[in-house]
Amino acid sequence: EREFKVDGSPFPLNRKEFNILNYFLVNKNRLITKNALAEHVWGDHIDQADNFDFIYYQIKNLRKKLQTSNAQIEIQSIYGVGYKLIEL
């Protein structure tokens, strides 16, 4: 079962958000490039994509959910490279 909890309460995520957050948690405090994230979550056919708008959209929604749930983690943008998950 795929489930995240924040302070013991269920943290609702769609499948892509779950996969993204799980990848960040496995690689906590490490820089994750947009390409690496896209390949891990969306698969090998990602090289056919014109842009990374689909990643920006999922990250934006995931950040909102993390903030409203008072989770003690945050996804930081590393300008021009990718993202990093840090503890607050």
Side-chain angles (χ1 to χ4, degrees), residues 22-52:
N22 187 55
Y23 189 62
F24 276 121
L25 288 169
V26 168
N27 295 287
K28 189 168 56 173
N29 295 319
R30 296 168 88 189
L31 176 64
I32 306 294
T33 65
K34 292 176 237 176
N35 283 334
L37 182 61
E39 286 177 12
H40 179 77
V41 176
W42 282 270
D44 292 333
H45 302 291
I46 203 59
D47 58 350
Q48 299 171 1
D50 292 334
N51 58 46
F52 288 108

